[in-house]
Amino acid sequence: MKQLLFIIIIIFPFWTSQRASFVNIYLESGTGRGTVAFQQTGQKGMVSFEYLDAGSYYLLVEFPQQRGKWIEEKPRQSTMTKAAYAPGKKTYYYQGTEGYFSIKFRGLRKIDSENFRPVFSEIRSEDGIKINVAQFQTHRKNGQIKIRVKKLTAGQFKRKAEKAEQDISTLSIQGIK
């Protein structure tokens, strides 16, 4: 029993990643009406947008600057990938000057799965840089999307991005929404 407990204590820190608090998430209308909703992730790194009207939307994320092990990178961990998406896990992986993050999409209700597209484009403004991570459409009223944001280390990002099936940063044109 003590051996099992010892193994769990040793492996647990490598198995988990830390939730990202204070990440600004914007939901913008695809028809050019501007920002529809804004939320900041809480201590659990989660936000939820519910009761969405039928229409198209952009999901923009403004990541906070990370420090310490969340930003450090060793030569063996470098990768050209800026954003990757694992469709089976519905998880988006992002690497930027702010640090390394994963965004898990959950609770997709009344959203067309064919029209849910992970993208990568940087939108620069005087307020900072927002990253467009997804475009989607709700086909009926009361659509819903839940998001969980986690911090990753450089090593975690590289392993997850290599396993992901889609390198979004090579598929998307930067700077265009």
Side-chain angles (χ1 to χ4, degrees):
M1 185 65 165
K2 288 181 182 180
Q3 292 172 341
L4 179 62
L5 184 60
F6 179 73
I7 291 171
I8 290 173
I9 290 171
I10 297 297
I11 294 176
F12 189 71
F14 299 106
W15 183 31
T16 62
S17 52
Q18 188 177 10
R19 296 173 179 123
S21 303
F22 308 112
V23 177
N24 295 329
I25 311 251
Y26 301 86
L27 193 61
E28 292 196 356
S29 170
T31 58
R33 290 187 334 216
T35 302
V36 174
F38 164 79
Q39 284 192 41
Q40 194 173 58
T41 59
Q43 289 192 353
K44 293 185 179 182
M46 296 181 69
V47 296
S48 177
F49 295 103
E50 299 177 5
Y51 307 107
L52 299 173
D53 292 333
S56 60
Y57 296 92
Y58 296 111
L59 188 68
L60 305 176
V61 181
E62 190 174 47
F63 294 103
Q65 182 64 48
Q66 299 301 312
R67 308 238 182 282
K69 74 175 185 176
W70 305 110
I71 195 75
E72 293 173 358
E73 180 180 25
K74 295 177 181 149
R76 71 175 187 272
Q77 297 167 337
S78 67
T79 177
M80 295 299 291
T81 302
K82 292 283 284 176
Y85 183 69
K89 295 181 178 184
K90 293 182 183 165
T91 305
Y92 186 98
Y93 302 102
Y94 170 74
Q95 164 188 287
T97 57
E98 307 90 352
Y100 305 90
F101 298 90
S102 71
I103 302 169
K104 175 120 176 127
F105 301 105
R106 306 169 359 152
L108 301 175
R109 193 175 309 150
K110 298 183 181 177
I111 293 177
D112 293 332
S113 57
E114 301 87 34
N115 293 326
F116 183 86
R117 277 191 14 198
V119 295
F120 173 75
S121 62
E122 296 176 341
I123 301 165
R124 297 179 184 270
S125 68
E126 53 205 38
D127 298 335
I129 299 173
K130 295 177 187 166
I131 308 299
N132 183 6
V133 297
Q135 297 175 353
F136 62 93
Q137 290 183 339
T138 57
H139 54 86
R140 284 185 278 158
K141 208 172 179 176
N142 296 329
Q144 171 184 307
I145 184 169
K146 294 181 180 181
I147 301 151
R148 171 176 271 163
V149 183
K150 292 184 178 182
K151 300 179 208 178
L152 301 173
T153 62
Q156 290 172 326
F157 174 81
K158 183 174 183 184
R159 285 189 298 277
K160 293 180 184 292
E162 286 175 351
K163 289 181 186 177
E165 298 167 21
Q166 298 176 2
D167 183 353
I168 302 302
S169 54
T170 60
L171 299 175
S172 298
I173 300 171
Q174 295 186 22
I176 298 177
K177 184 162 62 162

